[in-house]
Amino acid sequence: MRAAKLHADELDHDVPLIRRLLAVQFPEWADLPVEPFASSGTDNAVYRLGDGMAVRLPRRPGSGAQVEKDLRWLPRFAPLLPVDVPVPLGRGEPTEFFPLPWSVYRWLDGENPSADRLTDPHPLARDLAEFVGAFRRMDLPDGPPAYRGGPLSLLDRPTRAAIGELDGIIDTRAATAAWGGALEAPEWDGSPVWVHADLLPGNLLVVKDRLSAVIDFATAGVGDPACDLIVAWSLLPADARDTFRTALDVDDASWARGRGRALSIALIALPYYRDTNPAFAALARHTIGEVLTDHEHAR
């Protein structure tokens, strides 16, 4: 059975394909058990390989470049960060039956956190602040521009278009006001810093509500540090949000840009994934609600 598709241009993938790729390129692993893993990721399909590895297969043509990026940067990130990051174990080459590079990684234990399952979110908020701070401090030259590291104004058109698509589904008036407020915040005028740029719950792993690993660095690069604040609204409740902000010592302008970034991501994701990825759509709804409530309280 082939996995359900999230994108119109998504490539076919299933267990037989993984076995075929392994047999050709990594025969030493070809006899290990292979199972599809229910990842919330939207760019890569994940299959568990044996007990200690994971196969990541790009879902669509534009996702294939992540393999080379991971091989270059993840080994450099790992010793500078307070939690685990993915460890590449093998680079799979394109074949006549799968046209993109793919990869094998060490399996990382843990589970994705969820706002409704956190028993005490404050230690996790501090863990997240520690990770974000360490990532910002990395002194690694020649970093690529972060996918979400530029001015918020670049997202104005798609964000407003998404608000229009959500009429009758969310409070579009409140969303428009919150988005407009974010655009009024001063832009980042400091030097670009390293940012993960996709700190959503699906890219975090926790063990007993403590951050154990951060995954999926496809969007990582240098840019505005505010884009790594999005986790404050996608995961943390209001009081733990304050813990996170205090630990990072975030100024008002950066906080406003981070809130706007979280809102934009959620607004654009909701209509796109509403029918194909209910879990991601539910996260988008949750984030929109948190941002709108927070914006109203901040006025």
Side-chain angles (χ1 to χ4, degrees), residues 180-259:
L183 291 175
E184 293 173 1
E187 293 184 1
W188 174 249
D189 59 1
S191 299
V193 300
W194 274 97
V195 289
H196 180 280
D198 199 19
L199 286 182
L200 298 175
N203 292 330
L204 308 174
L205 295 177
V206 297
V207 175
K208 296 181 179 179
D209 280 354
R210 299 299 301 269
L211 187 66
S212 61
V214 176
I215 61 176
D216 199 344
F217 287 76
T219 58
V222 296
D224 178 3
C227 67
D228 271 353
L229 303 177
I230 60 175
V231 69
W233 295 273
S234 65
L235 177 61
L236 299 175
D239 55 346
R241 196 176 300 145
D242 291 339
T243 299
F244 175 72
R245 180 177 182 178
T246 299
L248 274 174
D249 192 23
V250 181
D251 63 89
D252 289 344
S254 295
W255 194 248
R257 292 196 308 277
R259 184 168 55 209

Side-chain angles (χ1 to χ4, degrees), residues 3-13 41-45 57-61 98 272-273 276:
K5 294 186 177 183
L6 303 181
H7 312 283
D9 60 347
E10 185 164 332
L11 303 170
D12 289 331
H13 54 88
T42 58
D43 289 331
N44 293 275
L57 214 63
R59 289 182 179 271
R60 55 201 307 197
F98 189 78
Y272 186 89
Y273 291 111
T276 60

Side-chain angles (χ1 to χ4, degrees), residues 8-298:
D9 60 347
E10 185 164 332
L11 303 170
D12 289 331
H13 54 88
D14 55 16
V15 169
L17 173 63
I18 302 299
R19 292 196 178 282
R20 191 176 179 191
L21 288 168
L22 291 170
V24 171
Q25 300 188 32
F26 298 104
E28 67 273 27
W29 298 331
D31 293 330
L32 293 175
V34 177
E35 296 180 359
F37 182 75
S39 166
S40 61
T42 58
D43 289 331
N44 293 275
V46 178
Y47 290 78
R48 187 155 189 175
L49 176 61
D51 292 329
M53 291 181 284
V55 174
R56 283 166 56 87
L57 214 63
R59 289 182 179 271
R60 55 201 307 197
S63 303
Q66 184 182 348
V67 173
E68 208 59 52
K69 185 176 182 180
D70 281 358
L71 290 172
R72 178 181 182 186
W73 291 108
L74 285 175
R76 303 183 191 187
F77 293 164
L80 303 176
L81 297 173
V83 297
D84 287 339
V85 298
V87 177
L89 300 177
R91 182 190 194 279
E93 301 295 337
T95 70
E96 70 277 6
F97 51 88
F98 189 78
L100 299 175
W102 52 284
S103 46
V104 181
Y105 295 81
R106 180 169 63 85
W107 184 262
L108 293 173
D109 289 324
E111 61 180 4
N112 298 135
S114 175
D116 60 358
R117 296 200 307 266
L118 296 177
T119 55
D120 180 3
H122 295 277
L124 178 58
R126 289 187 284 270
D127 292 343
L128 288 165
E130 183 182 8
F131 172 83
V132 171
F135 211 70
R136 291 178 181 179
R137 292 190 298 271
M138 291 193 307
D139 184 17
L140 296 174
D142 302 321
Y147 176 68
R148 297 188 175 111
L152 276 185
S153 57
L154 297 176
L155 295 172
D156 190 38
R157 181 175 295 180
T159 300
R160 293 187 188 275
I163 292 173
E165 290 185 65
L166 293 170
D167 188 30
I169 298 172
I170 66 167
D171 185 340
T172 54
R173 180 176 296 183
T176 301
W179 176 243
L183 291 175
E184 293 173 1
E187 293 184 1
W188 174 249
D189 59 1
S191 299
V193 300
W194 274 97
V195 289
H196 180 280
D198 199 19
L199 286 182
L200 298 175
N203 292 330
L204 308 174
L205 295 177
V206 297
V207 175
K208 296 181 179 179
D209 280 354
R210 299 299 301 269
L211 187 66
S212 61
V214 176
I215 61 176
D216 199 344
F217 287 76
T219 58
V222 296
D224 178 3
C227 67
D228 271 353
L229 303 177
I230 60 175
V231 69
W233 295 273
S234 65
L235 177 61
L236 299 175
D239 55 346
R241 196 176 300 145
D242 291 339
T243 299
F244 175 72
R245 180 177 182 178
T246 299
L248 274 174
D249 192 23
V250 181
D251 63 89
D252 289 344
S254 295
W255 194 248
R257 292 196 308 277
R259 184 168 55 209
R261 181 78 61 177
L263 178 62
S264 174
I265 293 169
L267 288 170
I268 293 171
L270 181 52
Y272 186 89
Y273 291 111
R274 186 170 49 191
D275 297 325
T276 60
N277 192 336
F280 204 80
L283 173 64
R285 284 180 180 271
H286 169 81
T287 303
I288 292 167
E290 290 295 305
V291 169
L292 297 188
T293 300
D294 195 31
H295 176 260
E296 184 61 29
H297 289 165

